Amino acid sequence: MEAPRGRTAGWGAPSPQQAGHILPHHGLWSGCASWRVGGGRAGLCAVLWPQQPPPTTGFDTLSIESKKAATVVLMLNSPEEEVLAKACDAIYKFASKGDENKVTLLNLGAVEPLFKLISHEDPIVRKNATMAFGIMASNSDVKKLLRELDVTNSLIARLVPEEDVIIHEFASLCLARMAVEYTSKVQIFEQGGLEPLIRLLSSPDPDVKKNSVECIYRLVQDFQSRAAVRELNVIPPLLELLKSEYPVIQLLALKTLGVISNDKETRIILRENQGLEHLFKILETKEFNDLHVEALAVVANCLEDVDTMQLIQQTGGLKKLLSFAETSTIPDIQKNAAKAISKAAYDSENRKILHEQEVEKCLINLLGTDNDGVKTAVSQAISAMCENLASKDAFGIQGIPQLVQLLSSDNEEVKEAAAMALANLTTANPGNASSVAEAEGIEPLINVLSAKRDGAVANAAIVLTNMATQEPLRLSIQSHGIMNAIGEPLQSTNSQVQSKAVLTVAAFGCDADARTELRNAGGLEPLVKLLHSRNEEVRRNACWAAVVCASDELTAVELCRLGALDILEEINLSMGRRNHFSERALDKLLDNNLSQKYSQMGYLSFSNIITDSFYDYGQVKPGVKLLSLEELSTQELNDRRAVILVNIKPPEVKGKGKKEEEKPKEEEEFQIAPKIQEEVTLEKLPWLPPFDFILLDYIKDASKTILPLATTKEQVVALAQFVAGNMGGPIEKDKLHDFSWELHISEIKFEQKCNVIPIGKIKKGTFYHRALLFKVIADRIGIGCTLVRGEYTRAWNEVKLVDDSPQGITGLLLPPQVYVIDLMYQPGCLMKQGSAEADHYKLI
């Protein structure tokens, strides 16, 4: 143990032992001293002199001298107390010389007889055995055997007031050394060791105090012991130890207070016993700078309580604490001061008090410290203070540039803490988000997405997501390749990283170029996998990202190809896993992949506008993946239902000799394919669906003849007649079976040498051909309608029309009615939805 400090006013006068003097312990032994506090280790006795001459009767005294440890160990089984005392003393001296000697004694079997002797009836034997036991317990192998022998109960029994102070010293030393192991902690606690140990904190002997407080410190690492020492009133003696002249005792007392003050009830007792006054006295005394770190740790715990915070503020202690943190040059002190602020800031009232004391200036100054531990602790304190809106604004101008610099630190903990601080600073604060961009934080943030620590990655994703709410910042971040960088976090196994990464995808996926970048970078595949996550937050956020990404046909089709549709259907069938976003994602996915939607759902709504490259494959069962148009086109001819294609998008021809073409006005209006010179040398191009010139002519004709009609009803009737006229005309109901449309379709397939045929090629069309053509042309010229698939070859369209006002009433606006359109028997006939006539048309 260290030498005592010099006398300090108000801290009590030292006793002779505390002053560093070794006092001999008198008794039968004439001169044996143990290890003492003040002067290190004193001389050890080698010989026992009896104070009274031996009796004249009986066997004469036989003097035995041995230099062999084995012989001394054998003497531990002697029935003579004097022999036992000598043997224990010799073992103590031998064991004190080094760890090898302890192992030797262990191997010779010295531990078991020594264990018996610590409870011997003779006080000298008991004392010497306890001394030997205590010194040997520093060896790990010895401690293992001591646990097996369950020695703690016997050691605790040696702590009673009646025992010699030397026994107290070495019994508590042995317990302190054993308390390192969890099993021994439990034994000491269950066998009632805390009460005598706490009593010994008031021992006049500093070594006993030191060993007892060290043992208690180790025991209170367990929550049961923390509660027990509070009930045993440990606070007053611990506070008294803070006045000790021995730094090691003060330090252990502070460490113990640091652990037990994690409990609110203990902090109340500490405050009631003026514990804060003791702590601040230490902090204000420069001579005690070696205790400042631990004292701050206790203060940090105390600051969690609003009452304590208010008390410290009222007494000026908080201002002193902040000043102390700023002016100190010791990193551990600065770090603990920042931790104290962090703990205090978890309470809203405390945050208000800290803001009033301008804690933000203190933390910003500490950010410039050249120590990674301090930077980490300060960044965490800033994060905690961000719950106060005024503090969040105060950190912005000066704090954000420093935090951005820390994102490039080589220390991963610093990087993580800085990212977390920026995440909190930019949440719901556009000004701070802009400040991050102004501090050139975009590139470092994207780099952090590939950091080693999950917390750093997750928080960097949060900052980028917060910044994306402002379009200029979103576009700037996108130009730095955010969608390429987010791929790695999407594949993380950490649920927090996954959750924040998919939110980042959702934040940037509103831009078409960003979706293309994500698609090309292979980011859709891990996104689809996250739809399967067992974590509710990850699954919900992934659904939201799917909603955003399914905003264009190419991405929606790719998501379906990767299995998103099947997963979302499965989720929506589960009451426990279904959520609002999963339902929206499924609808959005289908709405932007109408071929899949119509094949699977058999229905296209008024808002589902058919565009180029749509194809009707026919009804598919749920869970069956729809092949792509290219895959269907390259299949060999088969006898299955023909796939009907809608496409008037001109192919993009590239090659040498390409000349500028003049587009007729009507071709420009309807996006007519440009005429390319026949001499063009084609390069190898990706597969493109065939261009349907006939369908283009249909749309042009409908626009010229039908669009100018006065009412929607007239347009609907005219379009129905137009469609029927181009697909075989009206068919009598009783002759429907003679209408050989199947043969006609087979001939087209054979002619095209393909299972996919353009709809314009069909001249004999049945219900589902005509209904599809009606929907295609109606969508192009602005007539709202649905497309509904029925049983077998049935399909029909629905339109909404407003009926005329009743006779004699003018100006009355009636709600629109839904009508089914006859395209087969009496083209243009409107049947009110739900009527027997409409039902008959759908079924027969």
Side-chain angles (χ1 to χ4, degrees), residues 1-23:
M1 192 183 297
E2 298 177 44
R5 302 181 192 273
R7 291 181 61 180
T8 305
W11 286 81
S15 66
Q17 288 109 323
Q18 292 172 326
H21 298 94
I22 304 302
L23 297 182

Side-chain angles (χ1 to χ4, degrees), residues 118-120 122-123 126-127 130 154 156-168:
I118 65 173
S119 302
H120 197 278
D122 183 80
R126 201 162 59 241
K127 178 173 64 175
T130 306
S154 297
I156 292 169
R158 305 282 69 79
L159 303 181
V160 294
E162 295 79 19
E163 288 285 13
D164 188 277
V165 70
I166 294 295
I167 292 180
H168 286 168

Side-chain angles (χ1 to χ4, degrees), residues 49 66 198 236 307 327 417 451 497 534 699 736 739 745 779 802 824:
W49 295 288
S66 176
I198 291 174
D307 292 340
T327 56
V497 174
R534 294 182 179 180
I699 295 172
L736 184 61
F739 186 55
I745 298 297
D779 286 347
V802 178
M824 287 294 292

